[in-house]
Amino acid sequence: MNDEINYVESSAARRNRHRESLEHLWQKELVFLKQLFDKNIPLAPMDLIKFHDYVYLHCSSFVHNPSVRSQDPGKDLYGGLTLYLNSRLQEISKGMENIADDKDLVVEYVGHWKKYWKACEELDRGCRYLNQNWVKRERFEGHDYIHEIYRMAMIRWKEVVFSPIDRALVTAITLILRHKATEQSKLLVYQVLQSIVELYANDERQEVSVPSKLNNVFTEEVVGFYKSETLAEFQRIILSNTYTHFKHFLKYWCLAMPEINDGVQFRGFVKRHLALQLKNAIAKSLGGKEYVEAILKFRRSPLARAMRDHKNLVAVIDEVCSDTLNKMDQKVEPIRLLVIYSNELMTNKSVGDILEELKQIVEVVEFINEKDKFIQKYWRALRARQIKEISVWDGNESTMISLLTKKFGVDLTYTLKNQLDDLEKSRTKVGQFQNYMDSMGVRLCFDFRLKYFKNRGLDANFNLILPEELRIAVEQFKMFHTEYEKSKRKVVFHHGLSSGEIICNLGQSTKILEVSTLQMSILLLFNEKESFTEEELKDRLGTPMDILQPALEFWKSTSFLICSGTSVAVNTNFTSKKRRLNFNKVANGTKTRRIDEKEDSVLQLKRKKQTDAAIVRIMKKHKELEHPQLISNVVEELRYLFIPNVAFIKERIADLINKEYVMRCGRSTYRYIQ
């Protein structure tokens, strides 16, 4: 019997200690509550952290005590906060019950509301742990009368302060607006309406939407005033650089006015403002890195973060990025800029520094309509790096291709993957060729660095009769390829892409020249005799004059070759402070234009085939489609490759009709022909 009494006393003692500890924490929390609600002083960051810690301790106190339910400490805090707010609000309500003047009532209401709202915002931040743990668990268990602290505070204001004076307040608002209100009066009325919208949005009963509640309570004139003022306020905040409370206001504005999120007027204003912001940011960028950073900084701006919970408004940001990157009249082509930036990273950056920047490039590429064009130009730059052996690390190249593939799919990036595979096969082939040369007892008089790639059909080659020194290596490789490899595939040495180094002895100096194969062939001819006419060089090399001429003009401009009448000769008195000179940079506008034209024609042909295939797949699936549906389906299917315009799709449909894959039924319907 005595043992049982002792146990009961011990349990009671534990409960008492538990209550005392909670009371001790409440007194500490009360200091911060008084600062917020009595003194109206926001909590400093460190004070907010302290308050949050007290809330955490309060909610988790003695959770392992078998005599205390784990949710009870949180219930104690929630109850204490509710009683505290009720006490404060009852004092406010008593002060407003007997105000007869409409304007005085509005002024008094707004004054108390602004202080209370700011204090509740701070309180809600400090009670984050209570909201995310205790409140969430209570609601999960079916206790729907429990709410997050901010909503609970709004409900308490509505019941204690607003409900006793709601009719008087509604009448005051209507009369003030009806009698030519001053700007100050309009501002006060708008602030009252804002508070009412928040109260309706946080009401316990949500069967009726906020716009319906407004229309049921207020006249059309008052609702129209609220909407026009909201538009003006919305524009003011967008144009400002301060978005501190924009996320909060936007939440309740959109509940009262769905047109903010869905309407053309609001989105159009946001789009115009953002387009100007992005244009100014891009104008300040000096290169690819700054260009990418400007776009991503714009996408993650404070304004963008404030609109994050509203999909249609956030979509405007992406629309602006897409419109800006795909404009036709830009000074710098984004695709070219991104490829150059990628090339700089691949040739200069170490392994650890590059990943985030590559991710950023891919993020920007997502906004480009002609993604296939970017891939084509990136492939050309990738192959150039492989030929020149200037990539810092093959792993970086593989990482970029993986990022692009993950984002846009294998169909778009397979050429890049194939190019990496070609490089691995090339290295194997070079090793086999060297073994072949050793077995044949052949020794070349120069370092022959072979790159063995498949021809992707974009490179225009030109005729060139190689000097004897180079011809031996070419012939040996062709023999190796046909005899040792047993391959019937034709091997073509690409003179425009090939390059090398040559040592020139000029009088008293020796220079190492980095040159193209054509340049090297020109110089090697001067081992045979001192001078040639341009026609003689053309005949000896078998190269068209429009290809040879730019190379000769470059040599002349550097004074490495000198003219004497109709002949050219090596300038033995050529001087330069550098021992190694890079001359492999002859500008050939004609050649560049030809490459661009061929790339465009190849890309256009590829797009025709891709569009035809997409149309056939879609029609085979649906059997019959209206014209608008077919157009939208084709655009959707091809958007990760490129964005085709309607005229192009119509052209491909017409071609498929002629080829009897599709038939027209009526004016705007198509049927698949099986």
Side-chain angles (χ1 to χ4, degrees):
M1 185 69 177
N2 289 336
D3 289 342
E4 291 179 4
I5 293 173
N6 288 338
Y7 174 78
V8 171
E9 289 176 348
S10 176
S11 178
R14 284 199 298 271
R15 283 197 296 272
N16 287 334
R17 283 198 300 273
H18 172 64
R19 283 195 293 269
E20 288 173 4
S21 69
L22 294 184
E23 180 61 28
H24 180 65
L25 284 169
W26 173 252
Q27 291 304 319
K28 290 182 177 181
E29 292 157 348
L30 200 57
V31 174
F32 295 105
L33 294 176
K34 289 178 179 178
Q35 179 180 330
L36 288 174
F37 290 93
D38 291 346
K39 300 177 183 178
N40 304 121
I41 301 173
L43 298 179
M46 290 306 298
D47 288 339
L48 189 63
I49 292 172
K50 285 182 182 178
F51 182 70
H52 182 275
D53 288 345
Y54 291 145
V55 169
Y56 168 76
L57 292 172
H58 201 136
C59 291
S60 57
S61 294
F62 292 91
V63 291
H64 298 298
N65 190 328
S67 64
V68 178
R69 181 173 170 266
S70 63
Q71 288 287 90
D72 283 356
K75 181 180 180 181
D76 179 81
L77 176 58
Y78 189 85
L81 291 172
T82 305
L83 290 174
Y84 178 81
L85 292 178
N86 278 340
S87 173
R88 297 284 303 136
L89 295 176
Q90 284 164 2
E91 293 178 14
I92 294 172
S93 182
K94 286 179 183 178
M96 288 195 291
E97 282 179 358
N98 298 319
I99 299 177
D101 184 80
D102 293 336
K103 187 173 181 181
D104 289 347
L105 179 62
V106 168
V107 169
E108 189 74 9
Y109 181 91
V110 169
H112 287 299
W113 163 259
K114 287 169 69 176
K115 294 175 184 176
Y116 182 77
W117 167 71
K118 289 180 181 178
C120 289
E121 281 250 297
E122 290 280 307
L123 177 62
D124 192 64
R125 279 193 285 270
C127 292
R128 184 180 178 185
Y129 183 84
L130 181 70
N131 287 332
Q132 294 185 347
N133 293 274
W134 184 81
V135 172
K136 188 175 181 180
R137 176 63 181 271
E138 288 290 313
R139 292 188 66 82
F140 177 76
E141 292 179 356
H143 302 149
D144 294 336
Y145 57 88
I146 300 296
H147 305 283
E148 290 190 359
I149 295 302
Y150 182 82
R151 187 177 182 190
M152 180 270 284
M154 293 298 104
I155 291 170
R156 301 320 310 143
W157 176 278
K158 183 175 183 294
E159 291 185 1
V160 180
V161 177
F162 177 73
S163 292
I165 61 168
D166 56 356
R167 292 186 179 180
L169 207 53
V170 169
T171 302
I173 289 170
T174 306
L175 292 175
I176 289 173
L177 291 179
R178 195 168 290 170
H179 293 91
K180 295 183 179 180
T182 63
E183 290 302 316
Q184 180 63 26
S185 297
K186 287 181 179 178
L187 176 61
L188 289 169
V189 168
Y190 182 64
Q191 289 173 335
V192 175
L193 290 171
Q194 279 186 306
S195 80
I196 292 172
V197 165
E198 287 202 37
L199 297 179
Y200 287 163
N202 286 289
D203 200 353
E204 284 187 290
R205 301 185 66 180
Q206 294 292 320
E207 296 86 358
V208 182
S209 66
V210 176
S212 296
K213 289 178 183 177
L214 287 174
N215 291 325
N216 292 338
V217 172
F218 294 101
T219 64
E220 186 177 333
E221 178 189 9
V222 174
V223 175
F225 167 79
Y226 175 77
K227 291 190 173 185
S228 64
E229 288 298 308
T230 298
L231 175 59
E233 183 72 1
F234 180 86
Q235 292 175 337
R236 185 192 66 76
I237 293 176
I238 292 291
L239 293 173
S240 71
N241 292 320
T242 54
Y243 310 104
T244 309
H245 300 298
F246 189 47
K247 182 178 180 180
H248 174 91
F249 288 134
L250 198 57
K251 174 182 178 181
Y252 295 106
W253 283 348
C254 289
L255 286 172
M257 296 173 61
E259 58 265 36
I260 293 175
N261 203 24
D262 304 326
V264 175
Q265 188 176 18
F266 285 88
R267 294 180 69 217
F269 181 81
V270 172
K271 190 171 184 177
R272 288 190 296 274
H273 174 70
L274 292 177
L276 183 61
Q277 274 193 335
L278 183 57
K279 179 182 176 182
N280 293 336
I282 287 176
K284 297 175 184 177
S285 59
L286 301 175
K289 182 180 177 66
E290 293 82 4
Y291 187 86
V292 169
E293 287 178 347
I295 292 171
L296 297 185
K297 186 177 180 181
F298 165 78
R299 292 194 72 226
R300 295 157 189 167
S301 65
L303 178 57
R305 291 197 298 271
M307 297 191 299
R308 189 164 43 201
D309 296 331
H310 305 275
K311 292 182 180 179
N312 287 353
L313 291 178
V314 171
V316 174
I317 298 172
D318 290 349
E319 285 177 27
V320 170
C321 291
S322 181
D323 291 348
T324 301
L325 265 68
N326 294 294
K327 278 184 179 177
M328 301 300 293
D329 58 345
Q330 299 185 79
K331 291 182 180 179
V332 180
E333 185 187 3
I335 289 177
R336 180 173 177 274
L337 200 63
L338 293 173
V339 170
I340 291 173
Y341 179 31
S342 304
N343 195 61
E344 290 171 355
L345 293 176
M346 294 300 182
T347 56
N348 295 312
K349 285 275 187 170
S350 61
V351 178
D353 298 334
I354 198 172
L355 180 59
E356 287 306 314
E357 291 183 82
L358 294 181
K359 287 180 179 178
Q360 291 174 351
I361 291 172
V362 174
E363 189 175 339
V364 173
V365 171
E366 193 171 2
F367 294 107
I368 293 174
N369 287 346
E370 298 184 302
K371 297 177 182 65
D372 54 351
K373 189 173 183 179
F374 169 82
I375 294 297
Q376 185 188 75
K377 291 190 178 297
Y378 186 88
W379 168 78
R380 183 173 286 281
L382 167 64
R383 190 183 56 172
R385 290 194 293 274
Q386 291 176 334
I387 291 171
K388 297 175 184 177
E389 298 181 349
I390 55 176
S391 286
V392 173
W393 184 46
D394 288 346
N396 288 341
E397 302 285 7
S398 181
T399 297
M400 181 60 166
I401 294 171
S402 296
L403 291 172
L404 289 167
T405 302
K406 184 178 180 181
K407 180 65 72 173
F408 307 118
V410 178
D411 289 346
L412 186 65
T413 59
Y414 71 92
T415 54
L416 303 180
K417 180 65 169 63
N418 289 345
Q419 190 62 36
L420 282 188
D421 293 342
D422 280 0
L423 181 61
E424 290 302 314
K425 292 174 183 176
S426 173
R427 288 168 177 163
T428 302
K429 186 80 69 174
V430 168
Q432 292 171 347
F433 176 60
Q434 188 59 54
N435 294 336
Y436 169 79
M437 295 285 280
D438 293 342
S439 67
M440 298 292 290
V442 178
R443 295 289 182 271
L444 300 176
C445 58
F446 60 91
D447 183 10
F448 184 49
R449 297 182 183 179
L450 179 72
K451 298 292 185 304
Y452 184 79
F453 295 140
K454 290 180 182 177
N455 181 17
R456 306 292 179 195
L458 291 178
D459 299 308
N461 207 350
F462 56 86
N463 291 328
L464 177 63
I465 300 173
L466 294 171
E468 187 65 25
E469 297 92 331
L470 303 181
R471 196 180 306 139
I472 295 172
V474 172
E475 290 175 353
Q476 287 293 331
F477 184 79
K478 287 182 176 179
M479 289 172 59
F480 156 77
H481 186 70
T482 55
E483 296 178 13
Y484 183 80
E485 287 288 298
K486 308 298 183 184
S487 175
K488 295 181 180 180
R489 188 185 295 272
K490 184 180 179 182
V491 176
V492 177
F493 280 79
H494 199 288
H495 309 307
L497 298 177
S498 302
S499 62
E501 294 179 0
I502 188 170
I503 299 174
C504 288
N505 298 308
L506 303 169
Q508 301 299 316
S509 65
T510 300
K511 302 295 182 185
I512 301 174
L513 309 181
E514 296 177 38
V515 290
S516 68
T517 304
L518 176 59
Q519 290 173 315
M520 184 181 291
S521 299
I522 293 171
L523 294 182
L524 287 173
L525 288 178
F526 288 99
N527 287 335
E528 300 178 16
K529 65 176 189 175
E530 293 184 356
S531 65
F532 291 91
T533 65
E534 291 186 5
E535 279 297 321
E536 287 176 326
L537 289 173
K538 174 178 170 293
D539 293 339
R540 291 291 300 272
L541 295 170
T543 302
M545 187 56 76
D546 64 333
I547 301 293
L548 178 62
Q549 191 68 45
L552 293 175
E553 291 301 322
F554 175 80
W555 285 126
K556 293 175 188 177
S557 68
T558 59
S559 301
F560 199 88
L561 293 183
I562 54 177
C563 293
S564 177
T566 59
S567 300
V568 291
V570 176
N571 180 11
T572 55
N573 296 319
F574 175 82
T575 58
S576 175
K577 293 180 180 179
K578 295 180 179 178
R579 186 167 183 267
R580 176 183 288 274
L581 299 168
N582 182 8
F583 285 157
N584 185 19
K585 46 189 176 183
V586 180
N588 187 338
T590 304
K591 178 183 174 184
T592 303
R593 283 195 298 274
R594 285 177 179 171
I595 291 173
D596 290 341
E597 288 170 3
K598 185 163 187 181
E599 282 186 344
D600 289 342
S601 64
V602 169
L603 189 62
Q604 193 67 11
L605 179 61
K606 189 175 181 181
R607 287 179 177 179
K608 286 180 180 180
K609 292 179 179 179
Q610 289 166 336
T611 307
D612 289 353
I615 294 170
V616 171
R617 280 196 301 271
I618 291 166
M619 291 304 302
K620 189 174 183 179
K621 176 182 177 182
H622 295 280
K623 306 303 181 187
E624 189 171 301
L625 277 177
E626 294 291 321
H627 178 78
Q629 293 174 309
L630 179 56
I631 296 292
S632 62
N633 284 341
V634 171
V635 171
E636 178 63 24
E637 183 155 334
L638 295 176
R639 66 190 180 90
Y640 279 114
L641 298 172
F642 65 100
I643 306 294
N645 59 47
V646 176
F648 180 72
I649 299 174
K650 285 182 178 179
E651 175 192 314
R652 301 320 308 153
I653 293 173
D655 190 59
L656 289 172
I657 290 174
N658 291 334
K659 293 177 180 177
E660 298 184 349
Y661 284 97
V662 179
M663 65 180 291
R664 195 187 298 275
C665 304
R667 296 184 60 185
S668 61
T669 305
Y670 303 104
R671 183 178 296 160
Y672 177 67
I673 301 175
Q674 298 188 14

